[in-house]
Amino acid sequence: MRERLLRDFYTKDTLEVAKQLLGKYIVRKIGKRELVGKIIETEAYIGPYDKASHAYKGKITPRNKVEYMIGGYIYIYLVYGMYWQLNITTAQEGKPECVLIRALEVPGVDRNLTNGPGKLCQYLKLDKSFYGEDLTRSKRIWLEDRGEKIKPSQILATARIGIDYAGPYWSKRKWRFLLDYSKVRS
């Protein structure tokens, strides 16, 4: 079973979407070839109250304006001048929330090639041209449900990574979600 995720999946509560993305598949089409990876780690960003969000205090810039779109669009941006970060908008239009895709599992591919936000963008050959891409309609990238059921007990929730600048309250929020493989494969 391969079902493309539709708009209603992305417009739910951002923390729920971040958890429910675990076990879903990113499909990136390049010509006749498909690169496919299972999402195994995510992070939620809930602006404008979240000090770690690019939309903190309702800020709108050319870089983050797609965050304000309805759920299901790609918010991609460059960090350190060299690494793309793939985020997916969530919630309703005008509500700047998104989920960062942190890691993928790809059968037959060294995990070190997809175990970070910048690495997975390199693997999927993502760049600025994907900014604002609609995952529900795109012919070059989309997300699929392939019938894999992830139970709440199989999900670890930890503090988000690399956001100490947001202060202890926001940096210690357990809004990073990853598959607990000790429970997934047992």
Side-chain angles (χ1 to χ4, degrees):
M1 172 181 92
R2 290 176 58 164
E3 289 184 23
R4 183 187 285 235
L5 299 182
L6 302 176
R7 187 80 59 215
D8 63 340
F9 176 88
Y10 301 105
T11 56
K12 295 180 283 196
D13 175 80
T14 300
L15 293 174
E16 283 308 306
V17 173
K19 293 176 210 169
Q20 290 176 12
L21 280 168
L22 298 173
K24 301 298 187 272
Y25 288 79
I26 294 178
V27 180
R28 167 76 166 99
K29 189 162 186 164
I30 305 170
K32 293 182 179 180
R33 188 171 152 226
E34 286 185 355
L35 298 175
V36 180
K38 180 168 72 170
I39 299 170
I40 60 170
E41 185 178 345
T42 63
E43 272 183 6
Y45 289 87
I46 303 176
Y49 306 104
D50 180 355
K51 284 188 176 182
S53 169
H54 293 162
Y56 178 58
K57 292 186 176 179
K59 178 174 73 173
I60 301 175
T61 66
R63 174 178 161 176
N64 80 344
K65 67 183 176 182
V66 77
E67 260 191 293
Y68 287 83
M69 295 175 77
I70 194 166
Y73 285 84
I74 289 180
Y75 171 38
I76 193 166
Y77 55 86
L78 200 60
V79 293
Y80 309 123
M82 60 176 137
Y83 300 111
W84 293 103
Q85 308 282 282
L86 173 63
N87 292 260
I88 299 169
T89 63
T90 56
Q92 296 300 318
E93 185 172 355
K95 202 172 175 192
E97 300 184 8
C98 64
V99 175
L100 171 66
I101 307 302
R102 290 199 53 84
L104 299 177
E105 179 181 82
V106 180
V109 172
D110 184 336
R111 191 161 181 198
N112 288 325
L113 295 175
T114 58
N115 68 349
K119 291 177 181 181
L120 71 88
C121 284
Q122 286 177 329
Y123 173 75
L124 295 171
K125 299 180 184 351
L126 301 179
D127 57 27
K128 188 176 183 173
S129 72
F130 286 87
Y131 182 87
E133 189 93 6
D134 184 349
L135 290 165
T136 69
R137 295 186 175 148
S138 177
K139 293 185 180 182
R140 60 186 185 148
I141 189 168
W142 61 89
L143 272 61
E144 291 181 350
D145 182 342
R146 294 192 171 182
E148 189 168 336
K149 300 295 178 207
I150 305 296
K151 297 175 191 161
S153 63
Q154 297 171 315
I155 299 172
L156 292 175
T158 70
R160 295 178 289 180
I161 296 173
I163 59 163
D164 291 340
Y165 61 84
Y169 178 78
W170 292 103
S171 64
K172 296 195 185 311
R173 305 284 302 201
K174 292 189 174 188
W175 289 356
R176 174 178 168 239
F177 304 101
L178 55 156
L179 289 180
D180 180 352
Y181 276 99
S182 68
K183 295 180 181 175
V184 171
R185 295 194 172 132
S186 56

